[in-house]
Amino acid sequence: MRQFLKYVLATIVGLMLFSFVAFLMLLAIGSVFSAASSDEVAVKENSVLKINLNSPIREVGVDNPFGGFGALNSTGNAIGLIDLKQALANAKLDPGIKGVYLQTEYPQTGWASLEEIRNALIDFKKSKKFVVAYGEVMTEKGYYIASVADNIYLNPAGALEWNGLDAEYTFFKGTFDKLGIKPVIFRVGEFKSAVEPFIRDNMSEANKAQTTSFLNSLNSHFMANVAQSRGLQVAQLKKLADDLTIQTAGDALRTKLVTKVAYYDEVEADIRKSLKIDEKKKIDFITLSKYENAKKYVEEGSTKNRVAVIIADGEIVSGKDDDNIASDRVAEQIRKARLDDKVKAIVIRVNSPGGSALASDVMWREVVLANKVKPVIASMSDYAASGGYYLAMGARKIVAEPNTITGSIGIFGMVFNTEGFFKDKLGVTYDRVVTNTHSDFPSFTREMSDFEKNVLQQSVNRGYEIFTSKAAQGRKLPIDSLKALASGRVWSGVQAKANGLVDELGGLDKAVQLAAKAANLKEGDYRVRYTPEKKNAIEELIKSFTGDEEEQLQAKLGDLAPYVKYLKMLQRMEGTQARLPFGLDIK
């Protein structure tokens, strides 16, 4: 036994030493790459900015010290929307950049983010530099960006998705029925459909009506922009989708959705012609990650005045969670910006389906306080719904993209009665002793009484009244008018603008301009500062070896990963919730 313990102890010590040495090596390597990444990258004359958008696109990107190092770059780090837009703005002025090459087949982001990228490319084209896009296949999201290119190339054996948009919800009622789990729901409003996945196996008529409405709004905007870019008619594009006309690359060419059917080497040949270089000469492509360290041609403006952009991206939760919109952390960021004399205006950038109603209210309070001393403008990204709208509604003005998903003004509460599951499936039973009638309220292991259910419903009702009254105050609307737009109903950005829930249509840049104007700042008189900043190289180095939670789930569970993700979302739900339905996927 003593010998066995000796080997065990030696093994433990060895593992600890190995882990410590490995950690030191990671820090050392990370420091080297971090220093290297800060060096200015030289852009050769006649270069082409190469942008691969076949990755997750998020508000804030990540520094990948192994970008461009093959197998070491295994984590598939997300593209930062802000970084991408800044790169395009710089490339527009950079004399070394002659054009942009896009690979945009299946970007992983929402429609409002696509809108921002698309508009940035349209602005880049004002420089008279070329934009070309190539794909072996293209989803409609990928094509939406590619549609602004001067030339769109599709592989001869490839395919272009052109069948219209659909919104799909995931329902769990059948699973709960099989497990013997009974969701007990408390909500306000016929359109508050976030609870439907737990009590239904399909969409309610109200939910189907609102989804049809906002989805058609998104599709109309999509079709109109593509028609304008490609010189086609909207009616023609809709008929192509209805008839499933686009089955081959040749179909896409014949209907003028693409300009050429070609292999990659033929695309490169055409780029060489545009660059006026010999057919044997290698094209000087520069990747997005490298170009971020190139010489800056966009002037930042005066350091005396700042517009603070506070990015709130993810689910809304309490605390200081770095991976979501954590109320303590975001409230502190808003508070710091309010108290900083150099910050003359604040932009709250919201990309959220919602979450905790309490956490939303905590952040709303800081927005209101800040707005009393300096202009606060809200900028809505892909989603700013329910709790996301709560966060934005205290701002002086709200800016949304036409295809932003917003509204959903309403809250709900949910308790799971797991008594049947534990008793019938696992053989586990519970008994209790209480000092008062409702000491164990609310309970997850027994049926609640009607009185207890009514108590919870009244709590949700009060939360709804607080939400709607504050929304009416922020939007300067009569409470009855606001409630007519509420009841949990979801709107597109276009619809929200029409009914007064949004002030302006546009992206983050427009919100910054409005904030600066409200603070009486002229162009060149201020700098924009983003919070949070990109994660440092050492953090990303370690992450490149471990991978984040979502990537690990995907690698281990494949198609089952989204369902485990939903369960983890359920675990984060505390108290009343203000959020969109789980698993809403618009594609």
Side-chain angles (χ1 to χ4, degrees), residues 314-561:
E315 291 183 72
I316 296 176
V317 298
S318 295
K320 290 193 174 183
D321 184 349
D322 287 335
D323 295 324
N324 289 289
I325 304 175
S327 58
D328 289 351
R329 176 174 54 79
V330 175
E332 182 181 2
Q333 291 168 352
I334 299 171
R335 194 179 308 118
K336 283 183 177 180
R338 167 166 59 89
L339 299 174
D340 188 340
D341 291 336
K342 287 186 177 181
V343 174
K344 307 302 182 184
I346 302 171
V347 173
I348 307 294
R349 174 68 168 181
V350 183
N351 190 19
S352 175
S356 166
L358 174 59
S360 300
D361 192 73
V362 168
M363 294 181 290
W364 168 86
R365 173 63 177 172
E366 289 298 331
V367 172
V368 171
L369 290 176
N371 203 30
K372 290 179 179 179
V373 295
K374 57 189 67 173
V376 179
I377 306 296
S379 171
M380 294 179 168
S381 186
D382 297 320
Y383 300 94
S386 210
Y389 189 83
Y390 204 131
L391 176 55
M393 67 190 185
R396 191 166 301 186
K397 282 190 176 181
I398 298 177
V399 182
E401 289 287 11
N403 38 24
T404 293
I405 299 298
T406 187
S408 190
I409 299 172
I411 67 172
F412 68 93
M414 184 163 50
V415 175
F416 290 96
N417 180 358
T418 60
E419 182 180 16
F421 169 71
F422 283 108
K423 181 180 179 180
D424 300 333
K425 306 299 182 183
L426 302 180
V428 177
T429 57
Y430 296 86
D431 202 355
R432 58 187 57 79
V433 174
V434 296
T435 60
N436 295 82
T437 307
H438 305 288
S439 293
D440 63 338
F441 167 76
S443 175
F444 295 90
T445 56
R446 66 168 175 82
E447 184 74 28
M448 286 192 293
S449 68
D450 290 341
F451 171 79
E452 290 172 327
K453 291 177 182 177
N454 184 62
V455 169
L456 287 178
Q457 182 62 56
Q458 291 304 312
S459 175
V460 171
N461 291 347
R462 286 193 298 273
Y464 181 71
E465 292 301 320
I466 292 171
F467 193 167
T468 52
S469 63
K470 289 180 177 178
Q473 176 186 348
R475 302 309 303 155
K476 297 179 174 59
L477 290 171
I479 187 65
D480 291 341
S481 299
L482 189 284
K483 285 186 175 180
L485 303 170
S487 295
R489 177 150 188 169
V490 179
W491 308 94
S492 71
V494 170
Q495 294 171 325
K497 169 68 165 58
N499 60 35
L501 293 177
V502 163
D503 296 291
E504 303 272 357
L505 294 179
L508 178 57
D509 293 341
K510 185 166 189 175
V512 170
Q513 292 167 5
L514 289 172
K517 183 178 179 181
N520 297 315
L521 297 174
K522 296 180 180 180
E523 187 174 350
D525 287 346
Y526 64 91
R527 290 192 180 187
V528 180
R529 287 292 177 262
Y530 298 94
T531 303
E533 297 177 344
K534 294 172 69 174
K535 294 180 181 178
N536 64 50
I538 295 176
E539 288 177 330
E540 289 312 304
L541 175 65
I542 296 172
K543 183 178 177 181
S544 70
F545 284 89
T546 61
D548 64 20
E549 181 183 31
E550 188 169 336
E551 289 168 345
Q552 290 177 7
L553 280 176
Q554 188 65 46
K556 293 177 181 178
L557 301 176
D559 292 340
L560 294 177

Side-chain angles (χ1 to χ4, degrees), residues 79-284:
I79 298 170
L81 178 61
I82 293 171
D83 302 320
L84 174 56
K85 290 171 58 182
Q86 288 178 337
L88 286 170
N90 198 69
K92 177 184 175 182
L93 303 175
D94 190 336
I97 298 294
K98 302 303 180 184
V100 169
Y101 167 82
L102 294 172
Q103 190 172 350
T104 173
E105 296 162 310
Y106 41 87
Q108 300 164 48
T109 191
W111 286 94
S113 293
L114 298 176
E115 191 81 11
E116 296 241 9
I117 297 169
R118 195 175 186 275
N119 288 336
L121 286 165
I122 290 172
D123 182 68
F124 171 83
K125 289 177 65 176
K126 293 177 182 178
S127 65
K128 306 301 181 182
K129 300 177 182 182
F130 66 81
V131 176
V132 298
Y134 169 74
E136 294 181 355
V137 296
M138 281 190 194
T139 62
E140 280 162 315
K141 283 186 174 182
Y143 183 77
Y144 190 48
I145 295 177
S147 64
V148 301
D150 300 298
N151 289 297
I152 307 172
Y153 298 86
L154 188 62
N155 186 284
L160 171 64
E161 179 188 41
W162 193 261
N163 57 357
L165 308 187
D166 74 284
E168 184 175 274
Y169 297 85
T170 303
F171 294 86
F172 305 98
K173 181 181 182 300
T175 302
F176 288 133
D177 288 346
K178 291 178 183 296
L179 293 175
I181 297 174
K182 297 179 181 179
V184 186
I185 305 298
F186 310 92
R187 62 172 170 172
V188 180
E190 62 174 328
F191 292 103
K192 196 60 189 175
S193 55
V195 299
E196 287 188 3
F198 309 104
I199 59 175
R200 297 178 61 94
D201 55 17
N202 58 8
M203 299 166 67
S204 67
E205 289 303 316
N207 190 17
K208 190 163 289 188
Q210 72 167 348
T211 303
T212 300
S213 178
F214 74 69
L215 189 64
N216 280 324
S217 178
L218 265 62
N219 191 52
S220 294
H221 182 75
F222 165 65
M223 291 284 185
N225 279 353
V226 170
Q228 182 179 13
S229 294
R230 306 317 306 168
L232 301 171
Q233 298 297 316
V234 170
Q236 176 188 359
L237 293 175
K238 288 183 177 180
K239 183 170 174 53
L240 293 177
D242 289 337
D243 296 343
L244 294 179
T245 303
I246 312 302
Q247 294 296 314
T248 67
D251 294 335
L253 179 64
R254 177 175 52 81
T255 55
K256 299 182 180 180
L257 289 178
V258 302
T259 51
K260 192 170 183 178
V261 172
Y263 289 101
Y264 179 71
D265 61 287
E266 296 174 301
V267 177
E268 282 199 326
D270 283 357
I271 293 175
R272 287 190 181 90
K273 290 179 182 178
S274 297
L275 296 173
K276 298 178 182 180
I277 61 175
D278 185 84
E279 61 181 13
K280 294 182 180 179
K281 184 174 176 13
K282 183 179 178 181
I283 299 171
D284 288 319

